[in-house]
Amino acid sequence: CRYSKFVRWEPWGEKSSADLMSRYVSKEMGYGVPKEGWRICLAHEFKEKRKPFQAKDVSLSNFLEHIGLGIRYLKWWYKKTQVEKKAPFIDMFRAQPLRQIYGAPLGGIGGGTITRGWKGEFCRWQLNPGMYHYKTVTANQFTVCLRRGGQTVYQQVLSVERPPTLQGWNWGYCGEYAFYHALYPRAWTVYHLPGQNVTLTCRQISPVIPHDYQDSSLPVAVFVWDIENKNDFALDVSIMFTMVNGSGHKDDKSGGHWNEPFHLEKEGEAVSGVLLHHCPPVNPYTLCIAAREQPDREVSHQTAFSPKGTCSGLWSDLITDGRLDSPTGSSPPTPKGEKVAAALAVGCSVPAQSHNRLEFCLAWDMPTITFGSREREHIRRYTRYFGTKGDASPSISHYALTHYTQWEKSIEEWQRPILQDRYSLPSWYKSALFNELYFVVDGGTVWTELPEDADVSGGVRSEDGGLPAQPAVIKEFGRFAYLEGQEYRMYNTYDVHFYASFALIMLWPKLALSVQYDIAGSVVQQDPTERLHLMSGQYSPVKAKNVVPHDIGDPDDEPWQRVNAYLIHDTADWKDLNLKFVLQVYRDFHLTQDNQYLQDMWPVCQAVMESEMKFDLDGDGLIENSGYADQTYDGWTVTGPSAYCGGLWLASLCVMCKMAKLVANEETYQRYRDILGRGSAAFDKLLWNGKYYNYDSSGRDLSNSVMSDQCAGHWFLRASGLGEGDYQAFPKEKIQSALKSVFDLNVMSFAGGQMGAVNGMRPEGVPDRSSVQSDEVWIGVVYGLAATMIHEGMLEEGMRTAEGCYRTVWERLGMAFQTPEAYCEKSIYRSLAYMRPLSIWAMQLALNTSQKDQTTSAQTGATDGEQGRDLRENQS
């Protein structure tokens, strides 16, 4: 058992997990499918249907309070959509409807993504960087053909759908005989073929491998088909993979697209397939469907077919002999208004009561990209290994099909310690931990090379408080950016990255540091361009110096070049952004021990802390808020010091003391130590009420609301190995009392304790509904809260708190692989596929830290004899 206290889990949600499989009628459980993960029968239907939060859902009182914002947003929205013909970075009028269909995305990090649904459809596309469209491409399918004695006995599209097109194909597979199982970055679909005594298991593998900065960048996924023949006679089995040239976008019919077959042999291994060249004027790319050639496998193809009408010719081609005609030569370019598709089939013999395997892959090659402004070209990370010419698809496919077993070995070694911990970690947590990682890849993610002429700090060098023009980490490991959410289209939104960054720093730390260098480079620059901020109606500069940007830009504009796409608030007044930068700098150093990073970031940290000092209005060592000044809920005005921002301030002072010691700057240490002492006293005096920290110190009717995230500053201290002894900002007994209050009120008094922690709760046990967002549950905040509880020894409470979010999102609301920013107790959700829930990796860090602390404690408590024995055993 990991912990000295044995935890017996009796989860209230086991029934909901079982409900997802209640319609599965077969006893077949597939080939090599793991026990842990998210599992759902293909016949399942989610009963609860929710609607997205839109402008019409704002209450009358909030509407009246923010009528100016509403009018300004409407004018801006009209200009953006109707005049400029562009998509708003946040669209309050056309939010994405909930489609309860998504499964694990395909591909590595930063090369674009294609998402498959849990029923097998190809249904969410992000090949153009950061820009999503949600189109199910009907012809993209796998089909099985069974033959016995030279005759086809069964041929079926492995889809439960019955589309109005392609009527020449056999659709309508019975979903009650199949299930989907996801444990990201892999997923399995098990098909028990009714009446055939054959079970197919499709295993989907994407190269998402912690601490790997080469293969993890590849835009490719492998499909391994394990075929189990439980008959007393042999069968010939073929699998056909069909793919449209395009992504379901209108440019699929723009003309000029063409396909060609290919064969590539090197290092004793051969692959063959079809290349689908997609040739729009901006960001052209090549799709590639490929298969591995092996003894006793027959690979065949159809270079081009039209994916409309009945398409019975392709169906008949396969049903005749289990293979395709395999014409030579390229297809002609498509005329305008027409689409083209390709097919690849692989066949093998499966002896009686035996098993065989077929291997496919899907790759895509868009080596250079431009964002919406079209101002400059960016080179994707994977081109470092496969070139920028746009001809890499065959090589990527060959590499994937000959290396995926190594990927799986690495993935299994990474996941095994957590998956095999049966005593202290419940099953839902294991599923949540790995499956929420989908957003690292499918967050509109881009991973590019640093241009040779780039200067990340705009010419401000280290001696002037800036950075090297090209920091070594970015030069070696590239630039990384992911969206705040698929519907909130801003890259590296920093107040949210504060939570999500735990996944990066724990699994791809070089990418986490790269983001920090880019942010630091922006801190020391300024953009004096005046623009209207929609909340205040005032004009102010886009970016002030020594202030952390809200984000690094919109993919529909020019990220990195123009920051702060978010124009609701003037982010120069957001006190939490600077504090979150300082806290992340030290946490990242603590976890990486990168001395050069600390040395580079120290002057930037000093600069942003100095810019915060102006908010200490009365000199008591505690910064004050005025209006929308920290991560509060939109519409919830903060006056005076607040629990959230004040807590971040004290934690930042604490880490500044620690960093000053590390860089041997005693004068700075003493200064911050003095401010910390005065600030801690003021914080307790103004905000502590005997049980928890009040929301703010304004004294208004709602200032004593219970904020679920009131201990965020302490959380980061604990995650950074601080929070005790010389580097303690908050009394331990008060933190534990506050966490208990949050658990009792925000968790257990909300929705029967089964939906996580509501943002704001009144002391009398009813949600605070005074703002648009105070009665929401923010899933990523809940995971951070749970991590804080675990750090403080409240393991059972932390797990119970987080479990409510997982059960709600993944099992009740059908939001798998699109975890939203927020949901309310009833009816509404907001911002699907959001960055913040990656904070679940903070829970894993807390668990790791607890284990390390207990191990250290056990070693410290050992007797001299035991220590001597251990030493002798180690020597021997």
Side-chain angles (χ1 to χ4, degrees):
C1 181
R2 178 175 299 204
Y3 304 100
S4 56
K5 173 186 175 184
F6 181 87
V7 179
R8 182 183 177 188
W9 292 104
E10 296 178 349
W12 47 264
E14 286 303 325
K15 182 179 182 296
S16 62
S17 180
D19 283 347
L20 300 182
M21 286 291 289
S22 63
R23 296 188 63 181
Y24 187 62
V25 298
S26 173
K27 295 182 180 179
E28 296 295 325
M29 300 312 292
Y31 189 90
V33 182
K35 177 177 178 289
E36 310 291 358
W38 182 71
R39 184 172 296 187
I40 185 169
C41 175
L42 267 58
H44 182 77
E45 294 183 6
F46 290 96
K47 297 176 183 177
E48 186 169 350
K49 311 294 182 183
R50 290 211 167 193
K51 295 181 179 179
F53 177 87
Q54 300 193 72
K56 63 182 177 59
D57 295 304
V58 178
S59 68
L60 179 60
S61 60
N62 275 301
F63 174 77
L64 293 174
E65 186 177 349
H66 297 101
I67 192 167
L69 167 64
I71 293 171
R72 287 185 288 271
Y73 177 84
L74 182 60
K75 289 180 178 179
W76 173 83
W77 181 90
Y78 181 85
K79 180 183 178 184
K80 178 67 69 172
T81 59
Q82 305 303 310
V83 179
E84 299 177 11
K85 303 297 182 183
K86 288 198 168 189
F89 70 94
I90 297 177
D91 195 330
M92 290 295 295
F93 298 107
R94 297 184 297 201
Q96 280 297 317
L98 176 60
R99 302 174 70 202
Q100 297 164 315
I101 65 172
Y102 296 114
L106 306 172
I109 301 172
T113 47
I114 301 170
T115 297
R116 287 187 81 208
W118 49 267
K119 294 181 181 179
E121 61 270 66
F122 291 74
C123 52
R124 185 170 68 195
W125 305 78
Q126 189 258 143
L127 297 179
N128 281 317
M131 306 301 290
Y132 278 85
H133 73 277
Y134 305 86
K135 178 71 174 179
T136 296
V137 181
T138 304
N140 292 356
Q141 299 290 345
F142 286 101
T143 296
V144 62
C145 174
L146 305 183
R147 293 173 58 78
R148 181 186 179 192
Q151 298 293 321
T152 296
V153 296
Y154 180 88
Q155 186 161 299
Q156 174 73 52
V157 182
L158 295 171
S159 170
V160 300
E161 305 299 330
R162 295 181 182 273
T165 59
L166 306 177
Q167 290 294 300
W169 297 9
N170 184 23
W171 296 91
Y173 177 85
C174 183
E176 294 178 346
Y177 287 86
F179 70 87
Y180 177 85
H181 185 97
L183 187 67
Y184 190 75
R186 297 189 294 174
W188 294 255
T189 310
V190 176
Y191 304 89
H192 179 57
L193 305 184
Q196 305 304 312
N197 224 11
V198 171
T199 300
L200 308 176
T201 302
C202 177
R203 185 167 81 257
Q204 169 186 311
I205 307 139
S206 292
V208 182
I209 305 163
H211 306 285
D212 178 294
Y213 299 92
Q214 176 175 324
D215 290 6
S216 289
S217 71
L218 300 182
V220 67
V222 174
F223 302 96
V224 178
W225 288 85
D226 285 294
I227 306 160
E228 296 175 275
N229 177 13
K230 299 189 178 181
N231 293 292
D232 293 328
F233 48 82
L235 287 170
D236 293 323
V237 180
S238 298
I239 301 287
M240 178 175 71
F241 185 14
T242 49
M243 196 78 185
V244 171
N245 186 328
S247 61
H249 194 268
K250 62 183 180 181
D251 69 17
D252 291 2
K253 292 184 177 182
S254 62
H257 313 309
W258 57 286
N259 301 345
E260 64 173 326
F262 80 93
H263 173 86
L264 176 63
E265 185 170 355
K266 60 180 179 180
E267 299 171 358
E269 296 276 1
V271 299
S272 59
V274 183
L275 303 176
L276 297 81
H277 301 291
H278 197 73
C279 307
V282 177
N283 294 338
Y285 60 91
T286 297
L287 291 168
C288 173
I289 52 176
R292 191 176 188 177
E293 295 188 356
Q294 294 175 287
D296 302 321
R297 306 287 192 282
E298 184 172 18
V299 180
S300 57
H301 70 269
Q302 181 56 260
T303 306
F305 70 91
S306 176
K308 67 178 184 179
T310 64
C311 206
S312 55
L314 181 71
W315 191 261
S316 298
D317 188 6
L318 183 67
I319 209 169
T320 300
D321 55 6
R323 63 185 305 278
L324 301 174
D325 283 347
S326 301
T328 59
S330 304
S331 70
T334 55
K336 192 170 184 178
E338 296 295 324
K339 297 181 182 180
V340 67
L344 184 69
V346 186
C348 67
S349 179
V350 187
Q353 301 294 335
S354 190
H355 158 268
N356 214 334
R357 175 174 292 170
L358 301 173
E359 299 161 319
F360 293 82
C361 84
L362 170 64
W364 51 97
D365 184 21
M366 183 191 286
T368 59
I369 55 174
T370 58
F371 293 105
S373 73
R374 313 283 184 254
E375 290 180 18
R376 64 182 307 158
E377 203 170 67
H378 301 264
I379 299 173
R380 294 202 196 259
R381 166 73 175 185
Y382 74 87
T383 61
R384 179 175 292 205
Y385 314 105
F386 287 92
T388 61
K389 296 180 180 179
D391 59 358
S393 287
S395 296
I396 294 172
S397 298
H398 187 284
Y399 186 86
L401 287 167
T402 55
H403 287 78
Y404 80 85
T405 55
Q406 296 175 28
W407 297 345
E408 289 198 282
K409 182 180 178 182
S410 297
I411 291 167
E412 288 168 358
E413 288 176 352
W414 157 47
Q415 294 182 338
R416 185 180 297 117
I418 294 168
L419 298 179
Q420 291 185 350
D421 187 336
R422 295 176 295 168
Y423 298 104
S424 57
L425 298 180
S427 292
W428 69 262
Y429 171 78
K430 299 170 186 178
S431 173
L433 184 70
F434 293 115
N435 285 325
E436 290 288 9
L437 272 177
Y438 84 95
F439 196 84
V440 171
V441 166
D442 205 14
T445 312
V446 289
W447 186 1
T448 65
E449 297 288 3
L450 184 66
E452 291 184 2
D453 61 347
D455 184 337
V456 300
S457 58
V460 184
R461 295 283 77 84
S462 302
E463 55 271 20
D464 299 315
L467 295 168
Q470 299 205 341
V473 167
I474 304 184
K475 195 168 184 179
E476 175 60 26
F477 296 98
R479 274 181 154 167
F480 176 87
Y482 58 161
L483 297 175
E484 178 177 338
Q486 290 181 10
E487 296 188 82
Y488 284 17
R489 210 182 56 240
M490 296 159 283
Y491 273 131
N492 293 354
T493 298
Y494 202 72
D495 64 308
V496 184
H497 172 70
F498 177 72
Y499 296 81
S501 61
F502 281 88
L504 289 183
I505 195 61
M506 292 177 69
L507 302 175
W508 293 277
K510 300 299 184 183
L511 296 184
L513 299 188
S514 175
V515 170
Q516 287 290 88
Y517 272 104
D518 263 329
I519 292 293
S522 178
V523 165
V524 301
Q525 299 182 63
Q526 58 187 334
D527 182 350
T529 307
E530 295 275 322
R531 72 170 178 188
L532 177 69
H533 289 94
L534 301 181
M535 179 63 78
S536 66
Q538 302 295 314
Y539 282 85
S540 58
V542 170
K543 168 71 175 62
K545 189 173 183 180
N546 294 336
V547 173
V548 171
H550 173 273
D551 57 82
I552 63 158
D554 178 352
D556 205 22
D557 185 26
E558 192 62 40
W560 291 297
Q561 295 296 110
R562 281 186 291 279
V563 301
N564 281 341
Y566 184 79
L567 47 76
I568 305 296
H569 300 286
D570 181 355
T571 55
D573 289 332
W574 277 35
K575 301 167 187 62
D576 66 321
L577 293 173
N578 282 358
L579 306 177
K580 288 173 175 177
F581 176 79
V582 173
L583 290 170
Q584 285 188 74
V585 165
Y586 182 71
R587 181 210 55 190
D588 295 350
F589 168 75
H590 171 69
L591 294 176
T592 63
Q593 295 297 300
D594 188 325
N595 290 313
Q596 184 62 53
Y597 170 74
L598 180 64
Q599 181 178 328
D600 289 340
M601 293 296 161
W602 172 243
V604 184
C605 288
Q606 288 181 290
V608 299
M609 288 296 285
E610 287 302 313
S611 72
E612 292 289 290
M613 293 293 184
K614 65 186 178 188
F615 298 114
D616 181 5
L617 302 181
D618 53 12
D620 65 355
L622 191 61
I623 61 173
E624 299 186 21
N625 301 303
S626 177
Y628 308 91
D630 59 7
Q631 179 195 291
T632 51
Y633 316 120
D634 280 349
W636 197 352
T637 304
V638 185
T639 303
S642 69
Y644 184 78
C645 201
L648 294 177
W649 167 250
L650 296 181
S652 297
L653 291 170
C654 202
V655 303
M656 287 298 288
C657 290
K658 179 65 175 178
M659 288 191 287
K661 279 289 188 182
L662 290 170
V663 299
N665 191 327
E666 186 64 25
E667 181 180 350
T668 300
Y669 169 81
Q670 291 297 339
R671 178 170 181 245
Y672 283 115
R673 172 60 66 186
D674 174 65
I675 299 171
L676 175 60
R678 290 185 287 113
S680 294
F683 186 78
D684 277 0
K685 178 181 178 182
L686 293 170
L687 293 164
W688 181 251
N689 66 19
K691 291 184 177 180
Y692 59 89
Y693 295 103
N694 286 336
Y695 176 75
D696 67 21
S697 57
S698 66
R700 64 193 177 97
D701 290 344
L702 299 174
S703 65
N704 65 338
S705 285
V706 187
M707 185 185 188
S708 63
D709 209 12
Q710 62 184 270
C711 297
H714 180 73
W715 164 41
F716 248 74
L717 290 180
R718 293 303 304 269
S720 305
L722 304 176
E724 297 177 326
D726 291 341
Y727 300 100
Q728 178 176 341
F730 312 92
K732 185 178 182 67
E733 66 276 7
K734 291 182 178 178
I735 289 292
Q736 292 184 335
S737 176
L739 291 174
K740 184 179 185 303
S741 296
V742 170
F743 183 73
D744 290 343
L745 289 167
N746 301 59
V747 179
M748 299 307 296
S749 298
F750 175 75
Q754 297 189 10
M755 293 183 72
V758 68
N759 279 336
M761 181 65 87
R762 298 295 301 138
E764 58 269 25
V766 296
D768 185 323
R769 304 188 190 280
S770 63
S771 80
V772 175
Q773 297 171 357
S774 58
D775 66 342
E776 292 182 330
V777 175
W778 289 3
I779 296 92
V781 165
V782 172
Y783 289 152
L785 168 63
T788 314
M789 291 176 172
I790 294 169
H791 278 299
E792 292 303 315
M794 300 169 64
L795 174 64
E796 192 164 352
E797 293 88 342
M799 285 294 181
R800 176 64 184 263
T801 297
E803 181 178 7
C805 286
Y806 174 80
R807 301 285 187 192
T808 300
V809 169
W810 289 78
E811 297 179 350
R812 179 177 143 200
L813 301 184
M815 295 177 174
F817 297 101
Q818 53 181 329
T819 304
E821 157 70 325
Y823 55 74
C824 293
E825 185 174 2
K826 297 178 181 178
S827 305
I828 300 295
Y829 67 85
R830 186 168 56 81
S831 188
L832 289 170
Y834 199 76
M835 177 199 291
R836 202 187 314 258
L838 285 170
S839 62
I840 193 169
W841 278 86
M843 292 179 64
Q844 188 59 34
L845 178 62
L847 291 166
N848 294 346
T849 302
S850 298
Q851 181 186 26
K852 182 179 178 181
D853 289 347
Q854 291 199 7
T855 301
T856 302
S857 177
Q859 291 173 345
T860 303
T863 65
D864 291 343
E866 289 171 333
Q867 291 173 346
R869 183 189 66 214
D870 291 343
L871 178 61
R872 289 190 296 273
E873 289 174 351
N874 289 336
Q875 289 173 334
S876 65

